[in-house]
Amino acid sequence: MGIPQWIYLGMSCVSIGIELQRHGQACQARHNFIGALLGQGIVTGLLYWGGFFTGG
């Protein structure tokens, strides 16, 4: 795995952590950790399927 892959994974983890911290807080819309986790999982799966993590 190359540097872009590690940067992407780090940014994804930060994003999920922020949603976990804000889960259930009121805003204009309610934050949803489960939705964010599922969405990030789908994007990561698509990137993996497309070869993003298999070489650089």
Side-chain angles (χ1 to χ4, degrees):
M1 223 172 7
I3 292 173
Q5 290 85 355
W6 285 111
I7 291 171
Y8 174 77
L9 286 175
M11 291 176 67
S12 295
C13 290
V14 168
S15 175
I16 291 295
I18 290 169
E19 286 299 321
L20 177 61
Q21 179 187 12
R22 293 179 177 175
H23 181 69
Q25 289 182 2
C27 189
Q28 288 181 350
R30 295 184 64 85
H31 292 276
N32 187 342
F33 172 72
I34 302 299
L37 185 63
L38 284 173
Q40 198 62 52
I42 290 169
V43 169
T44 302
L46 287 170
L47 288 172
Y48 180 79
W49 185 27
F52 184 73
F53 299 104
T54 57

